[in-house]
Amino acid sequence: MKIALVHDYLTQRGGAERVFELLCKHFPEADLYTSVHDRKNTIDLGDRVVHTTFLQKIPATRKYFRLFAPFYYSAFNALNLQQYDVILSSSASFAKGVQKRSDAVHICFCHNITRFLWDTNTYLREYGAYSFLKPLIETVFQRMRQQDIFYAQSPDYYIANSTTVAKRIQETYKKDAVVVNYPIDDCRFTFSDQKDDYCLVSSRHLSYKRLDIIIDAFNSLDIPLLITGEGPESKQLRTRARPNIQFLGHVNDRDRCNLMSKAQFVIVAALEDYGLVPIEANASGTPVIAYGAGGVMDTQVSGLTGILFEQQTAESLKNAIIKAKKVDWNYAKIREHAISNFSESVFFKKVDQIVEEICTSRGIKK
């Protein structure tokens, strides 16, 4: 059985890329494909060859990959994957559009529907420098939405990372999806029941992450807050913050894991499709204070692994922080919940079973 692993683009290191990294480790003999590969700024795939599309030959795509959105489906459609029996795509946008031979099977690990097409206003808020192009962008996106629905029919099966994403796949693409919550690399995260006097945010600085809410809440509480990550809103957020809030910029994986294990709480204010950060925090024995909607509803148990707040406002978050500080947290149970439900072994046991059942039903032999 010959397997291809396909990802949208390898130009950054986010949650989707970390999941793809796990898939690559689990399927060491699989061939790897993506549209554009920036080896310096994405996951470490060792000496494995990463096959790319014609977009790789354009230097600007690695830095400005989002601006080439209208060309990605053509790029993936041009890939020749006829030799593969099984295609496993990891996609929040375009990789689901790869083509296969008629007797092969394509299983899509869908992180989300193509968000910038179906939530365009949020997309433009995140990249405000391009907002003056909104009329042109909307015209282009109208056509791309039709393409997105068309190519979304390519996968034979969908695996969604959360019930929220499964619902979106059904509503937008009219395709059913099996929900398998994505894992963390639990070996990376160290447990600590000794917490320091700070809270932590680990996030790209994008508008939908709602770091503005977090900063406003901590400005009024005067509690130490450490913020890692970078993004288009970094400058604006730094200006907004008071001295009790410290921006660390990009931190390496080792330092990030140490910060998580020692934090009193990890704060998440975004409406996430799924979200690995809350599970990573829990695996470190750290409770999470999160906006109670979207993916966290699959991963968090309020009162056991953290506190969920009801409204995306600074006041609602502030009240949740005050409430969380009164709880006598059992850090060992927090980690136990994460490992028993969201470890690699749990995830791949489910994945292997699904892949085996699908291949058996399609007459594909190992």
Side-chain angles (χ1 to χ4, degrees), residues 15 61 73 109 112 117 136 145 324 331:
T61 55
Y73 272 132
F109 291 79
N112 196 9
L117 292 179
L136 174 62
R145 289 184 193 112
Y331 302 122

Side-chain angles (χ1 to χ4, degrees), residues 102-156:
S102 59
D103 62 332
V105 64
H106 177 183
I107 303 170
C108 178
F109 291 79
C110 187
H111 312 294
N112 196 9
I113 62 174
T114 310
R115 186 171 65 86
F116 71 87
L117 292 179
W118 302 101
D119 189 9
T120 303
N121 288 333
T122 298
Y123 175 77
L124 291 178
R125 282 202 306 272
E126 290 174 15
Y127 303 99
Y130 309 118
S131 60
F132 71 97
L133 294 173
K134 186 173 180 178
L136 174 62
I137 289 173
E138 183 56 35
T139 300
V140 174
F141 280 12
Q142 284 284 6
R143 178 174 175 77
M144 288 185 66
R145 289 184 193 112
Q146 296 174 8
Q147 285 186 314
D148 195 47
I149 292 174
F150 176 80
Y151 284 110
Q153 309 310 307
S154 299
D156 300 291

Side-chain angles (χ1 to χ4, degrees), residues 155-169:
D156 300 291
Y157 302 92
Y158 275 92
I159 295 176
N161 56 3
S162 70
T163 53
T164 296
V165 170
K167 183 178 179 181
R168 291 175 186 166
I169 292 169

Side-chain angles (χ1 to χ4, degrees), residues 10-134:
L10 293 172
T11 55
Q12 56 189 356
R13 186 178 178 84
E17 287 73 31
R18 293 201 291 273
V19 172
F20 186 68
E21 186 177 21
L22 294 178
L23 290 170
C24 292
K25 288 196 296 184
H26 189 70
F27 297 100
E29 302 302 320
D31 292 334
L32 311 184
Y33 289 83
T34 191
S35 58
V36 180
H37 185 205
D38 184 355
R39 190 178 297 273
K40 293 181 180 179
N41 292 308
T42 192
I43 53 177
D44 183 8
L45 296 171
D47 58 359
R48 292 177 73 173
V49 175
V50 179
H51 302 279
T52 56
T53 68
F54 63 79
L55 292 172
Q56 183 74 17
K57 298 177 181 179
I58 306 173
T61 55
R62 270 158 270 183
K63 184 174 182 180
Y64 303 106
F65 61 95
R66 291 182 179 89
L67 295 183
F68 289 82
F71 304 100
Y72 280 105
Y73 272 132
S74 296
F76 278 111
N77 198 38
L79 287 174
N80 184 358
L81 303 183
Q82 295 299 301
Q83 63 181 303
Y84 298 101
D85 304 299
V86 177
I87 297 170
L88 303 177
S89 64
S90 162
S91 182
S93 52
F94 307 107
K96 61 180 177 285
V98 293
Q99 301 302 297
K100 63 179 181 66
R101 67 172 193 264
S102 59
D103 62 332
V105 64
H106 177 183
I107 303 170
C108 178
F109 291 79
C110 187
H111 312 294
N112 196 9
I113 62 174
T114 310
R115 186 171 65 86
F116 71 87
L117 292 179
W118 302 101
D119 189 9
T120 303
N121 288 333
T122 298
Y123 175 77
L124 291 178
R125 282 202 306 272
E126 290 174 15
Y127 303 99
Y130 309 118
S131 60
F132 71 97
L133 294 173
K134 186 173 180 178

Side-chain angles (χ1 to χ4, degrees), residues 332-347:
K333 281 191 174 181
I334 292 173
R335 176 173 170 81
E336 180 185 350
H337 180 269
I339 301 303
S340 62
N341 289 283
F342 307 107
S343 66
E344 287 184 49
S345 59
V346 171
F347 174 74

